[in-house]
Amino acid sequence: MIKNYLKIAWRNLMKYKYISFINLFGLTVGLTCCLLIMTYIINELSYDRYNKNGENTYRVTRSFNNAEGVVSLTLSTVAPPFGYYFPTDFPEIKKMTRLIDNGTTPIKYKDKLLNESDVYFADENLFQVFTLDILKGDPKTALRDPFSVMLSEETARKYFGNEDPMNKVLRANSQFDIKVTGVYKGFPANSHMHPGMLVSFSTLNDPNVYGAENMRTNWGNNSFFTFFVLPDHFNPKNLIDRFPAFVDRRMDHKIYNGDLPSKYTKLGLQKLTDIHLYSHTDYEAEPNGDISRVYIFSIIALFILLIACINYMNLSTARSALRAREIGIRKVVGARKKELIFQFLSESVLVSWAAIIISFVLLYFSLPWLNNISKQNLNVQILLKWQILIPIFLTPFVVGILSGLYPALFMSSFQPVKTLKGLFKVGAGNISFRKVLVVAQFSISIILIITTIIVFQQLRYLQQTSLGYDKEHIITIPYNNFLNTSYEAFRNDLLKNSDIKDVARSSRIPTGRLLDAMGASTNAGDSLRPVTATIKYVASDYDFVPTYGIKIIAGRNFSRTYGTDTSNFLLNESAVSAVGWKSPAEAIGKDFKYGFIKGKVIGVMRDFHFESLRQKIVPFVLINPATSANQSFFNSLSLKVSGHNVAGTLAVVEKTWRQYLPEIPYQYTFLDENFANLYESEQRQGTLFTVFACIAIVIACLGLFGLSAFAITQRVKEIGVRRVLGAKVNTIVTLLSKDFLKLVLIASLIAFPVAWYAMSNWLEDFAYRTSIQWWVFILSAILALIVALGTISYHAIKAAVANPVTSLRSE
């Protein structure tokens, strides 16, 4: 029986090749998009789940707030003394491990000298928390001794090639020798961090590296990733509720002028498997994903599949007149309604099976494109798990039944007497339902058009908004403290080249985050009063302001002429307001204390966007430790160049660098590249939106193309009569098109509020954003109307210019 159903289904599909092709093509494209997006989503949801203890592992976070309780900073890292006291104060912690990112580290082996950006210090029990394959060495002891290091397989190959790396010695930062004690298979792609070198945590106890005393007492260096493994079914809230008392008991109250520390800082826990999609702290090991993006692309996948299913329903019911006699004969010879329903469903399931088989082929060839856009390493193997293959196997049945159920019920209800006498006509109710489906298709398409336009508008806004500083032709280089004693000579040698305009040092550079803060105080009568607002700081030298073209609106910049400027300050406008001064001019000359530095405000900078436009401009101060013992503040070197001979200028910079720092690798980036990277995820999102919007429109138009062909075929005689009576071609085309265009207009009215609501929520992620303009909605509707009109016009014009005599003779 089933074989017979499938045979008849195949014959019908071959008989109506035109409709079958449109249905198959639409479903194939829809399912391919779904599989692509499913691959991306499954990968996003899989982050850190490779760890055996992943469900019970938590990361400690720390947030900071002012006296009013307003949170100013949230970090995924904590100070080292917390890790010192956690095991003793919380016995329910089964295991704890810590890591700290060492930043850019010069590593040398023989004649190889490279900058490594993924060097971490790691506890010896790291592998009891994170599940990694150890290729060489003993995971229990490899990170026990100071100055030992484990390398990822890729890093080991980079330095040693086919040599055995075990017990080889690397030179780190031109200061320390570290011995290779193990090799591990790199952290999987779906990990939220990817250390390439793991230096033993005990190395930090060396006084020349960090110092054991600092590990116990330095509450200010919040750079340590700290992970707990908790017992099964343990509620982490039990720990979180006890953290405030722990903070008050262990932290030095002098840090907060005798107040309880828990009033100003708070500890929290994040589940390891939630970090990638749900954590958006101010400092992460690597850029994370976003659960909202997963939801958005899931909805797009369902939208596209829904449009393809609507095509099937529309075209199947539209061609019902062609199969009316077949159904009538089958009923007369004894076919029951359920058998007819099963027959029609078998046809739709067969089309769905063909579509998903072709979709897997297209998936294989289109994944490289998705990887290129998403900057991920997705592959078909992600889908080759029984938990995923079973739903995929059931998909053709689900899609086939959903798309074929209404046509099956509709066609199986035909009355055989009317169909055999030729009295069958498609009912008004069926036509109305088809119109609803067309409206649904174009509503989805218009929503996607609007969202795509607004995403690119926001990207353009971000790129064109005045930042308040000049980002063009600025080269940035990681600063090394070996330059401290010879910096002025180094700078002067660079400035001898006329294409190098300015050279500056700073702790951070624009496009980065403002994470550093200390307490501030100002004059209140004869004493200093604390500033309640959080004021961030950047350590800079005399040349930072001119290098970046930052405008001073009151007072002056730091100057080498004034020796006291190493204890003076530059504030931005927001900091002036936060302190309570009425104007920038009023701030000039005022006593100001920031952290351990006491001096005067000598200048006020116009507010500028140091951070991404996702963040509001915050109060911050420039401090100048250029000639003091605190030059270790500096992390970056910035060079303003003319841009006339970039290659020649870079060669001069490299030559000068190697002259002063022969043991430190030369590495540079352009600031405008950093700026572009800030919005890379939005750029990728906009590209994907554009592609999926175009696919949705193409599928919708395919359905409209087939539907208009059937609608116009049913009006052939009417068109002939109108032509005989003198109707012009343009009049007939307008007549045939207007009904469909009305549906597109209705779809626009439905799509407008939905798109406005969705994009209003999306734009809230940006502190500075474009406005949603009315013309975007009108333009989207016009684009949809033009596409729909172009789709319908082919059949309309063809029918209008046909010989009316032939039309009137047709049966």
Side-chain angles (χ1 to χ4, degrees), residues 215-509:
M215 294 294 291
R216 291 191 298 270
T217 61
N218 189 344
W219 296 97
N221 181 13
N222 293 281
S223 303
F224 291 74
F225 294 103
T226 304
F227 295 89
F228 295 161
V229 177
L230 299 176
D232 292 340
H233 312 299
F234 185 86
N235 186 352
K237 191 175 183 299
N238 292 339
L239 248 62
I240 295 171
D241 290 342
R242 290 153 56 197
F243 278 158
F246 164 74
V247 168
D248 291 337
R249 182 170 63 253
R250 292 299 187 181
M251 283 192 73
D252 186 351
H253 289 209
K254 294 178 183 177
I255 297 173
Y256 298 103
N257 298 316
D259 276 352
L260 291 176
S262 61
K263 182 179 177 182
Y264 298 95
T265 189
K266 181 180 179 182
L267 298 179
L269 292 176
Q270 291 177 330
K271 194 173 183 179
L272 176 63
T273 52
D274 289 344
I275 289 174
H276 179 67
L277 290 178
Y278 296 94
S279 178
H280 301 97
T281 66
D282 294 299
Y283 176 73
E284 295 285 349
E286 295 176 10
N288 283 333
D290 193 335
I291 190 62
S292 63
R293 204 170 297 148
V294 170
Y295 292 147
I296 288 169
F297 285 114
S298 299
I299 292 169
I300 289 174
L302 292 174
F303 275 178
I304 291 175
L305 187 59
L306 180 60
I307 290 174
C309 291
I310 288 173
N311 272 359
Y312 191 96
M313 287 187 274
N314 267 339
L315 294 176
S316 297
T317 52
R319 70 173 177 172
S320 57
L322 301 177
R323 300 188 65 177
R325 289 182 184 276
E326 173 201 339
I327 295 166
I329 293 171
R330 288 169 67 86
K331 280 197 168 185
V332 167
V333 298
R336 290 174 294 179
K337 185 173 182 178
K338 66 178 182 179
E339 291 171 343
L340 291 172
I341 292 173
F342 197 92
Q343 173 64 54
F344 297 131
L345 288 178
S346 66
E347 291 179 19
S348 61
V349 170
L350 186 62
V351 171
S352 298
W353 263 110
I356 202 162
I357 291 170
I358 299 172
S359 295
F360 265 103
V361 176
L362 294 177
L363 173 69
Y364 178 80
F365 290 104
S366 54
L367 267 178
W369 165 81
L370 183 62
N371 285 333
N372 186 50
I373 292 177
S374 63
K375 303 300 180 186
Q376 293 185 329
N377 188 27
L378 306 176
N379 55 64
V380 179
Q381 278 73 27
I382 292 175
L383 303 178
L384 301 182
K385 299 175 183 176
W386 68 266
Q387 301 96 323
I388 298 167
L389 287 175
I390 289 177
I392 290 176
F393 176 79
L394 295 175
T395 297
F397 296 101
V398 175
V399 171
I401 291 170
L402 286 176
S403 57
L405 186 59
Y406 174 74
L409 292 172
F410 171 70
M411 288 188 283
S412 65
S413 64
F414 292 170
Q415 296 180 16
V417 176
K418 289 185 178 181
T419 57
L420 292 175
K421 286 183 176 180
L423 301 175
F424 168 77
K425 288 185 179 180
V426 178
N430 173 54
I431 294 172
S432 297
F433 184 69
R434 288 213 305 273
K435 288 180 178 178
V436 169
L437 295 179
V438 171
V439 168
Q441 280 185 313
F442 275 91
S443 294
I444 293 169
S445 300
I446 293 167
I447 289 171
L448 290 174
I449 293 172
I450 293 170
T451 54
T452 301
I453 293 174
I454 293 175
V455 167
F456 279 107
Q457 274 191 317
Q458 176 64 10
L459 284 171
R460 187 178 179 186
Y461 175 84
L462 296 174
Q463 292 161 356
Q464 294 185 348
T465 296
S466 174
L467 300 174
Y469 67 91
D470 184 7
K471 71 178 189 301
E472 302 300 326
H473 303 130
I474 289 183
I475 301 167
T476 64
I477 304 172
Y479 183 77
N480 193 285
N481 287 327
F482 288 133
L483 265 179
N484 286 348
T485 55
S486 57
Y487 174 73
E488 288 300 323
F490 171 77
R491 174 178 172 272
N492 290 332
D493 280 351
L494 286 175
L495 292 176
K496 288 177 183 177
N497 186 289
S498 60
D499 285 323
I500 300 175
K501 304 300 181 184
D502 279 303
V503 182
R505 296 176 292 176
S506 59
S507 58
R508 298 185 183 274
I509 56 173

Side-chain angles (χ1 to χ4, degrees), residues 58-126:
Y58 294 82
R59 183 176 71 179
V60 186
T61 63
R62 186 180 183 185
S63 60
F64 300 83
N65 52 268
N66 58 24
E68 284 72 39
V70 178
V71 175
S72 61
L73 184 68
T74 302
L75 300 175
S76 60
T77 48
V78 298
F82 285 117
Y84 183 81
Y85 291 113
F86 276 142
T88 56
D89 287 39
F90 300 99
E92 52 267 77
I93 297 173
K94 293 174 64 177
K95 296 182 182 71
M96 185 191 79
T97 194
R98 291 179 290 175
L99 300 99
I100 178 172
D101 185 355
N102 196 52
T104 302
T105 307
I107 301 292
K108 185 177 183 180
Y109 177 70
K110 294 182 178 178
D111 59 343
K112 292 181 181 177
L113 179 62
L114 301 171
N115 268 331
E116 294 292 345
S117 58
D118 53 4
V119 178
Y120 282 71
F121 289 94
D123 261 339
E124 62 179 283
N125 61 351
L126 177 77

Side-chain angles (χ1 to χ4, degrees), residues 197-223:
M197 302 181 73
L198 296 171
V199 182
S200 58
F201 205 78
S202 57
T203 306
L204 293 171
N205 291 324
D206 188 287
N208 294 316
V209 180
Y210 193 83
E213 184 65 18
N214 268 334
M215 294 294 291
R216 291 191 298 270
T217 61
N218 189 344
W219 296 97
N221 181 13
N222 293 281
S223 303

Side-chain angles (χ1 to χ4, degrees), residues 784-796:
L785 283 169
I786 291 172
V787 171
L789 182 61
T791 303
I792 299 162
S793 294
Y794 172 79
H795 293 299

